[in-house]
Amino acid sequence: MPARAKAGLPDRCVACPQSTIGFCGALFNACLHNSSLRKINPRFSTVRAGQRIPYQSQSSGDILILCTGWAFRYCQLADDGRQILKFLLPGDLFSPATIFSEHQSFFVGALTDVQVGRMEASEIRKKCLSDEAVMLAVFNTMMDDGQDAYQLLATLGRRPADARVAYLLLNLMRRIASRSVIPDHRYPLPLRQQHIADAVGLTPVHVNRVLAQFRDQKILTLAGGTLEITDLAELERIGSLA
Amino acid sequence: MPARAKAGLPDRCVACPQSTIGFCGALFNACLHNSSLRKINPRFSTVRAGQRIPYQSQSSGDILILCTGWAFRYCQLADDGRQILKFLLPGDLFSPATIFSEHQSFFVGALTDVQVGRMEASEIRKKCLSDEAVMLAVFNTMMDDGQDAYQLLATLGRRPADARVAYLLLNLMRRIASRSVIPDHRYPLPLRQQHIADAVGLTPVHVNRVLAQFRDQKILTLAGGTLEITDLAELERIGSLA
DNA sequence: CGGCAGTTTGATGTTACTCAATTTAAGTGG
DNA sequence: CCACTTAAATTGAGTAACATCAAACTGCCG
């Protein structure tokens, strides 16, 4: 019995179906076949939906990567509101910045039950210095985060409710599709309307109305954890930037 | 006559008054006294206020740094609107990500007349691999950008108009103060109300009303390119996150 | 069946936008 | 120094978008 099955992990990494090692993702795709990287021995743990996931205990110095399930980075505001900054999919790092820095200003919450891999930050740091591919992968991960953040900024700052929701869904669709084959425009999407609201700066009630409007216009339906797209062109017309 | 004066540049770098070399900033503060870095020979140019500044011509492979004046990163939307993503102060890199990547999704515009320094991206890349301090500096720059973006996201997504304006001003004050001594709560701030509006997702008219309210409440005045703070505590109460 | 979390719908309120006019400030050339 | 021009700031009135409040409805699970 392979070690991964013993650890209660799915046999294949959702992020990289072609791979059987337990951590990969944007950062590690570039180095998957670099045998020296496998020396970074990951450990795994499980977190229930709804729990906050500490990802930067000063003592531990661990880098966390999402192996299965969904999570999200968010900012907690004084007045009980929260802003979701980015949804994390299997393969995503909780916080690339913690490789080189202690302080981060956001939290991470588990959207579904999740499995989390942990690696020693010091090991990754070492690799960054010795292996150009690893350093580039880390850079690219941070760059993608930055690009996503800037696009979301433009969306929140300047665009109406329907465009915001459409943008979020398109963004998630793209990222989901990059991780698994989606044959029939049906995407697994375990979000509550509350999460969408927290991500695009609207109230859940208003998100509901926007989704109802999309449904009426036969653009999409979102129910039971599945997003089904029926008019992609229209969704893109509404949601894409520029 | 020193080379810098010949080039028409101010005798001291605004970002690093203690230094007389012409480029520094967040990225290079860490390496200022690393003599090997000075081999990266910068070139300079001037851009008039209001102009767009190309910072990623495929051919050139240059990294641009702001030497004097103000600029801003922004996203141009289809419907003539724009979202300002970050104001750039002397010493800021136009786009840290262009060190390792060609594609960036934002433009940079000159807010005032500016002087721009250029360095070869390939040289910086080389240094990143050979010099840990340089790599850390680049990481830190990208991290700061990311942190700023996330904080602004929370502000745009979840907070009312007065908090948005207050947040922006506090953020700029902090960054200005980190570059020069501000003895009397008077900050140089060459922004039009239009720029504030574009940065915080409001209309110029509404920004005007918010500023008028701040003035009435004796919190601050913003006129003639100078921001004067008269009640910092109140401004922070309104504007700070969490 | 009851309880619960999430969704949906309606009615009403508030914030910020739009449009348009007026005032102020900053040049510019005479 | 003064007309003239122009960009920016300011003010008011009306409107649209989204929030808030509250209730009803759904599916799910014990």
Side-chain angles (χ1 to χ4, degrees):
Chain A
M1 185 181 192
R4 304 197 66 250
K6 235 187 286 186
L9 290 170
D11 193 43
R12 316 189 134 226
C13 176
V14 182
C16 314
Q18 78 282 12
S19 156
T20 53
I21 77 170
F23 61 99
C24 36
L27 172 55
F28 297 97
N29 278 333
C31 329
L32 265 183
H33 302 294
N34 177 339
S35 63
S36 76
L37 198 68
R38 307 205 182 186
K39 286 188 212 143
I40 300 178
N41 219 334
R43 291 152 288 137
F44 300 96
S45 57
T46 300
V47 178
R48 310 290 298 176
Q51 298 297 109
R52 190 154 79 75
I53 311 175
Y55 65 94
Q56 49 173 1
S57 52
Q58 316 71 334
S59 49
S60 80
D62 276 347
I63 297 300
L64 273 64
I65 184 167
L66 188 61
C67 294
T68 63
W70 286 50
F72 55 92
R73 299 187 190 137
Y74 68 101
C75 215
Q76 187 66 54
L77 302 197
D79 59 338
D80 86 42
R82 72 179 173 190
Q83 173 67 39
I84 291 183
L85 303 162
K86 173 161 179 156
F87 289 102
L88 300 179
L89 270 50
D92 285 335
L93 292 182
F94 279 40
S95 170
T98 43
I99 294 173
F100 286 95
S101 156
E102 300 275 309
H103 286 349
Q104 276 301 295
S105 52
F106 55 78
F107 298 127
V108 174
L111 187 64
T112 64
D113 290 354
V114 298
Q115 287 172 313
V116 177
R118 289 162 197 279
M119 298 162 287
E120 294 223 2
S122 56
E123 288 295 320
I124 311 263
R125 271 198 295 276
K126 231 183 287 171
K127 290 281 172 221
C128 264
L129 292 168
S130 63
D131 185 339
E132 184 173 355
V134 174
M135 194 195 58
L136 280 178
V138 173
F139 264 109
N140 282 328
T141 305
M142 293 183 70
M143 251 185 41
D144 288 347
D145 277 357
Q147 202 127 328
D148 271 1
Y150 273 176
Q151 287 199 5
L152 188 55
L153 262 180
T155 302
L156 294 203
R158 290 281 150 221
R159 315 198 58 214
D162 57 348
R164 298 191 202 188
V165 175
Y167 168 82
L168 176 66
L169 296 179
L170 286 167
N171 182 274
L172 289 174
M173 286 162 56
R174 188 178 50 72
R175 292 174 58 208
I176 294 169
S178 77
R179 284 167 169 78
S180 59
V181 179
I182 301 292
D184 54 356
H185 291 294
R186 294 167 55 89
Y187 297 78
L189 214 66
L191 308 184
R192 311 282 108 217
Q193 294 180 357
Q194 176 74 61
H195 295 116
I196 300 178
D198 286 343
V200 300
L202 299 169
T203 55
V205 175
H206 204 71
V207 168
N208 184 291
R209 292 190 220 274
V210 171
L211 290 176
Q213 176 201 323
F214 285 164
R215 205 181 311 132
D216 291 348
Q217 297 174 353
K218 311 226 183 300
I219 296 173
L220 59 82
T221 56
L222 175 53
T226 302
L227 170 69
E228 179 162 11
I229 306 294
T230 49
D231 189 345
L232 181 58
E234 181 64 3
L235 186 63
E236 279 173 340
R237 195 189 60 72
I238 296 171
S240 32
L241 279 171
Chain B
M1 186 179 192
R4 304 197 67 249
K6 236 189 282 186
L9 290 170
D11 192 42
R12 315 189 135 227
C13 175
V14 182
C16 315
Q18 77 281 12
S19 158
T20 52
I21 77 169
F23 60 100
C24 35
L27 172 56
F28 297 97
N29 277 334
C31 330
L32 263 182
H33 302 294
N34 177 340
S35 63
S36 76
L37 198 69
R38 307 203 182 186
K39 287 189 212 141
I40 300 178
N41 219 335
R43 291 152 288 137
F44 300 95
S45 57
T46 300
V47 178
R48 310 291 298 176
Q51 298 298 110
R52 190 154 81 75
I53 311 175
Y55 65 94
Q56 49 174 1
S57 51
Q58 318 67 337
S59 50
S60 80
D62 276 347
I63 298 300
L64 273 64
I65 184 168
L66 188 61
C67 294
T68 63
W70 286 49
F72 55 92
R73 300 188 189 135
Y74 68 101
C75 213
Q76 187 65 53
L77 302 197
D79 60 337
D80 85 39
R82 72 179 172 188
Q83 173 67 39
I84 291 183
L85 303 162
K86 172 161 180 156
F87 290 101
L88 300 179
L89 270 50
D92 286 335
L93 293 182
F94 279 40
S95 170
T98 43
I99 294 173
F100 286 95
S101 156
E102 300 276 306
H103 287 348
Q104 276 301 294
S105 52
F106 55 79
F107 299 126
V108 174
L111 187 64
T112 64
D113 292 353
V114 298
Q115 286 171 313
V116 177
R118 291 162 196 277
M119 298 163 286
E120 295 223 1
S122 55
E123 289 294 321
I124 311 263
R125 271 198 293 278
K126 230 183 288 172
K127 290 282 172 219
C128 264
L129 293 167
S130 63
D131 184 339
E132 183 172 356
V134 174
M135 195 194 58
L136 280 178
V138 173
F139 264 109
N140 281 328
T141 305
M142 292 183 71
M143 250 186 40
D144 288 348
D145 277 357
Q147 200 126 329
D148 271 1
Y150 273 176
Q151 288 199 5
L152 188 55
L153 263 180
T155 302
L156 293 203
R158 290 281 150 220
R159 316 198 59 213
D162 57 348
R164 297 190 202 189
V165 175
Y167 168 82
L168 176 68
L169 296 179
L170 286 167
N171 182 275
L172 290 175
M173 286 162 56
R174 187 178 52 71
R175 291 174 59 207
I176 295 169
S178 77
R179 283 167 169 77
S180 58
V181 178
I182 303 291
D184 53 355
H185 292 293
R186 293 166 56 88
Y187 297 77
L189 213 66
L191 308 183
R192 312 281 113 219
Q193 293 181 357
Q194 176 75 61
H195 295 116
I196 299 178
D198 286 343
V200 299
L202 299 169
T203 54
V205 175
H206 203 70
V207 167
N208 183 292
R209 293 190 220 272
V210 171
L211 290 176
Q213 176 201 325
F214 285 164
R215 204 181 311 130
D216 292 347
Q217 297 175 352
K218 311 226 183 300
I219 296 174
L220 58 81
T221 57
L222 175 54
T226 302
L227 169 69
E228 179 162 10
I229 306 293
T230 48
D231 190 346
L232 181 59
E234 181 66 3
L235 186 63
E236 279 173 339
R237 195 189 60 73
I238 297 170
S240 29
L241 278 171

